[in-house]
Amino acid sequence: MKKILDLISEEMQQAFEKAGYAPELGRVTLSNRPDLCEYQCNGAMAGAKQYKKAPIMIANDVVAVLQDSPVFSEVSAVAPGFLNLKVKESFLADYIKQMADDEKFGLEMPATPKKVIIDYGGPNIAKPLHVGHIRSAVIGESVKRIMRYCGHEVIGDVHLGDWGLQMGLVITELKERQPDLIYFDDSYTGEYPTEAPFTVSELEELYPTASKKSKEDPAYKAKAMEVTQQMQSGVRGYRAIWQHILNVSVADLKKNYARLNVDFDLWKGESDVHDIIPGMVEYMKEGGYAYESEGALVVDVKEETDTKEIPPCMILKSDGASLYNTTDLATIQDRMDTYAPDELIYLTDKRQELYFEQVFRCARKTKLVKPETGLKWLGFGTMNGKDGKPFKTRDGGVMRLEVLIKETTDEMFRKITENREMSEEEAKETAQIIALSALKYGDLSNQASKDYVFDIDRFTSFEGDTGPYILYTIVRIKSILAKYKDQGGSLETVTLQAAQNESEKALVMQLTAFNTAVEGACAEIAPHKICAYIYDLANAFNRFYHETKILAEENAERKAGLIALLMLTRDVLETCIDMLGFSAPERM
Ligand code: ARG
C-alpha cells in the first residue's frame, strides 16, 4: 500500500498541476503546528520565484481547485503562502480499512529482498554474560525481527567467543585441581568420556578463579597461554575439554537467551574458522595485500580522505598467533562462501568502532566481500547504574543476566499483586511477561548508540514511556473486546467507520503511520523508532478511550465500528512489540 503521506501528496500535486503549476511543488508533510492543521504544504512559497507571483496567490489558486477533494476536508491559504490542510475522516477510514485487510497493515514488501546476516549476542563462553552482551542480544534480536517483518531473509548468528585465553585458563585450573583426569594423560589414545568433568556452576567458578590467579601470577598466566596455544593447535585432551566447556556453556546460554526471548539461527563461533585462517592468510599475502611489519603481518587500511589515523589491520602477531581481527575476517570469508549474504550487520559495544572500521576496510580491500556487499556496524552505548557507571550487582560484581531478569520480575510481581487479585501462578507468569517488556523496552526505546541508566522503578512503571505502559494499553483493549463478546457481540462482523470525534481521528491518523514508522526503523536499523511509534499510538489510544463511550455506546453500528478500531489498534501494537521481542499477557 502507498504511504498515507504519498497519497495526500499525490492529491496536492494534481491540484498544483490543475492550477497550472509544477506538480513537484505539491509535496505534503505532517504539520509542525498540529494546533492549526494536520498536514501542510509549502509549495506555493517555493514556486513564487519561478512564477513571479506572490505565494499567497499561488496558494489561493490551489485552494480553488481542491474544493471537492475526496482527500481534504479543509485547505486554507495562510499568509504568506502556507497551505494548511485537514484530511477527510472518510479518506482516513478507507485507508485503515485497507490496512486491516492487509497482512502487513499496509507495509510494502521490497522488490528484491536482501539476505542479511546479523552478528549479535557475542557471548564469551565460560565467562558470565555482562551487561554489554545483554544489550547486544536485545537490540540484535529486535533488528532481526524488524528486518524479517519487512520481508528480508535474515540469519542471526551468535558468534561465540569460544577460542581465546579464557579456554586455556579453565583448562589450566582444571589441571591444577585434577591432574589425574584422563584428559591430561598424554599417552591416552582412547575415547574420552561424553560427560563433562564439571557442571555449569563449577565452570562458573573455575574461570574467575583462574583469571584472578593469572593476574597475580605470571607463571600461571604463561602456562594458560601455552595451554591455549596447544588447545588451538589440536592437542587431543585439551580439545576434548574445550568441547565439554562449549557444550556446557552453550546449553546454559540457550536457557538464558530463551528467557530473554532471543534465539539464534546459527551457533557458530570464533573456533569455527580456525582451520580456514591459514588459507586466508596465504591469499592475503599472494594478493599483495598483507606485508610484514616489525615481524607482524599487516594490511594497510588508511585512506586519503581520513581525518584521523587509522592504523593497519594486524592479521598475524609476530609469534604467528592470530587475533580477534583475523577471526572476524575469516568469518566474513566463511559467511560469504556459505551464505552469500547481501549485507552483514554487527552489533557490539560502541568502543569497537575503530576496530570494525579496520576490519571492514580490510575485507573490502582484500576482496573478501563483493563491492556491493553491505557491511554495517551498530555500536551501542553502556547500560549504566544510577551512579552513572556501568551497571553492576549490589556487591559490585558483573551483572548476570539471570539476576537482572529475576530482580525485574520480582519487582513486577510485587507491583501486580499489590492492588490486583490474581492467583499466585498467574501473577508469576504475568510478572515474567511484563518484566521482559520493562527490560527490553527500557533498552530499546533509547537510540542504541546512547548510554542509558537502568532504572528499575521507572522501567517497571505502568505510566510513561515504558514497556508495561504499552502492555497495559494492549490489555485494556483486550479486556474491552472480551466484554463486547460477553455482551453477545461478534468480532467477526465489525467494520471500520469514519471517525466521529477529534481524539478518534487522532488515533486513526496515528494508525495510518504504521508503514512509514516500520520502514524507517528498518532502513535506519533503529528499533527506538518502533518504540516511539507505539508510545504515540498508545497515548492516542488512551486519550480516545477516555473521551469516547465504547461499551456504553447505544448505536450498535457505531459501537461495532469502534470495536473494529480497537481490534486494529491491538493488532498493530502487538505486531510492533513482537518486532521488539516481547509480548503481552491476557490480563494484568
Ligand atoms: N565476543 C565479543 C566480545 O565479547 C563480541 C563479538 C562481536 N562479534 C564479532 N564478530 N566480533 O566483545
Side-chain angles (χ1 to χ4, degrees), residues 134-135 138-139 142 260 383 408 433-448 452-455 458-474 527-539 573 576-583:
I134 299 168
R135 289 214 73 189
V138 169
I139 302 169
S142 177
L260 211 50
M383 171 172 132
T408 317
I433 299 175
I434 311 176
L436 195 60
S437 82
L439 276 174
K440 288 192 158 189
Y441 192 94
D443 188 311
L444 294 168
S445 55
N446 306 285
Q447 198 177 330
Y452 74 94
V453 173
F454 182 84
D455 180 344
R458 188 171 81 74
F459 288 7
T460 58
S461 168
F462 288 100
E463 278 154 39
D465 192 6
T466 70
Y469 169 66
I470 304 291
L471 297 195
Y472 191 74
T473 305
I474 296 174
H528 73 278
K529 298 213 152 175
I530 304 277
C531 295
Y533 172 71
I534 54 175
Y535 181 51
D536 287 346
L537 182 57
N539 280 336
L573 283 171
C576 288
I577 61 170
D578 189 54
M579 282 187 243
L580 298 175
F582 58 88
S583 57

Side-chain angles (χ1 to χ4, degrees), residues 2 19 22 35 84 101 129 149 178 190 221 242 286 296 301 310 400 428 441 563 570:
K2 281 189 183 159
D35 52 324
N84 285 355
D101 287 339
L129 293 173
Y149 189 81
Q178 301 183 58
K221 182 164 186 192
W242 170 81
E286 274 165 21
V301 293
I310 308 280
R400 299 178 48 125
K428 273 200 175 135
Y441 192 94
I563 292 295
R570 173 202 61 189

Side-chain angles (χ1 to χ4, degrees), residues 307-368:
T307 49
K308 59 173 193 243
E309 170 86 18
I310 308 280
C313 197
M314 197 190 284
I315 308 297
L316 292 180
K317 285 200 274 198
S318 49
D319 63 1
S322 55
L323 302 99
Y324 187 40
N325 276 322
T326 328
T327 338
D328 260 322
L329 289 162
T331 305
I332 291 179
Q333 185 183 43
D334 184 42
R335 287 175 177 160
M336 292 306 288
D337 288 348
T338 317
Y339 303 100
D342 301 299
E343 191 169 293
L344 289 165
I345 300 179
Y346 294 80
L347 270 113
T348 73
D349 188 303
K350 69 181 171 201
R351 281 170 297 195
Q352 296 191 28
E353 178 167 18
L354 175 63
Y355 168 79
F356 275 98
E357 180 71 49
Q358 289 175 299
V359 169
F360 290 171
R361 284 187 183 192
C362 186
R364 289 213 184 281
K365 181 171 183 179
T366 59
K367 303 196 168 64
L368 290 182

Side-chain angles (χ1 to χ4, degrees), residues 350-414:
K350 69 181 171 201
R351 281 170 297 195
Q352 296 191 28
E353 178 167 18
L354 175 63
Y355 168 79
F356 275 98
E357 180 71 49
Q358 289 175 299
V359 169
F360 290 171
R361 284 187 183 192
C362 186
R364 289 213 184 281
K365 181 171 183 179
T366 59
K367 303 196 168 64
L368 290 182
V369 295
K370 296 195 213 140
E372 66 273 20
T373 309
L375 293 173
K376 292 186 181 157
W377 167 80
L378 186 65
F380 48 80
T382 315
M383 171 172 132
N384 288 327
K386 282 191 179 156
D387 58 358
K389 297 201 188 103
F391 196 77
K392 291 257 158 80
T393 53
R394 275 191 211 100
D395 56 15
V398 177
M399 190 67 195
R400 299 178 48 125
L401 180 60
E402 288 132 275
V403 179
L404 189 69
I405 295 179
K406 183 165 185 311
E407 284 184 3
T408 317
T409 309
D410 289 350
E411 175 60 16
M412 223 56 254
F413 181 79
R414 200 185 60 71

Side-chain angles (χ1 to χ4, degrees), residues 60 79 112 125-126 145 164 193 223 370 432 443 448 463 528:
N60 280 328
T112 40
I125 64 170
R145 287 166 180 243
K223 225 188 279 175
K370 296 195 213 140
Q432 272 179 17
D443 188 311
E463 278 154 39
H528 73 278

Side-chain angles (χ1 to χ4, degrees), residues 20 60 64 66 121 140 179 221 268 279 288 380 404 426 464 511 533 545 560 562:
N60 280 328
L66 281 168
K221 182 164 186 192
K268 293 204 172 195
F380 48 80
L404 189 69
E426 186 180 353
L511 283 167
Y533 172 71
Y545 168 79
L562 292 170

Side-chain angles (χ1 to χ4, degrees), residues 231-292:
M231 171 206 82
Q232 290 180 347
S233 62
V235 169
R236 277 184 76 244
Y238 292 171
R239 276 288 176 100
I241 299 177
W242 170 81
Q243 190 64 55
H244 285 310
I245 303 176
L246 187 69
N247 294 348
V248 169
S249 296
V250 166
D252 188 57
L253 282 169
K254 284 192 173 163
K255 225 167 54 197
N256 271 303
Y257 283 130
R259 275 193 205 127
L260 211 50
N261 208 4
V262 165
D263 84 293
F264 298 93
D265 306 292
L266 301 177
W267 280 83
K268 293 204 172 195
E270 295 175 355
S271 65
D272 284 288
V273 293
H274 176 73
D275 295 342
I276 65 171
I277 287 178
M280 181 188 77
V281 170
E282 260 328 289
Y283 161 82
M284 287 185 175
K285 279 198 215 159
E286 274 165 21
Y289 306 117
Y291 67 93
E292 250 176 64

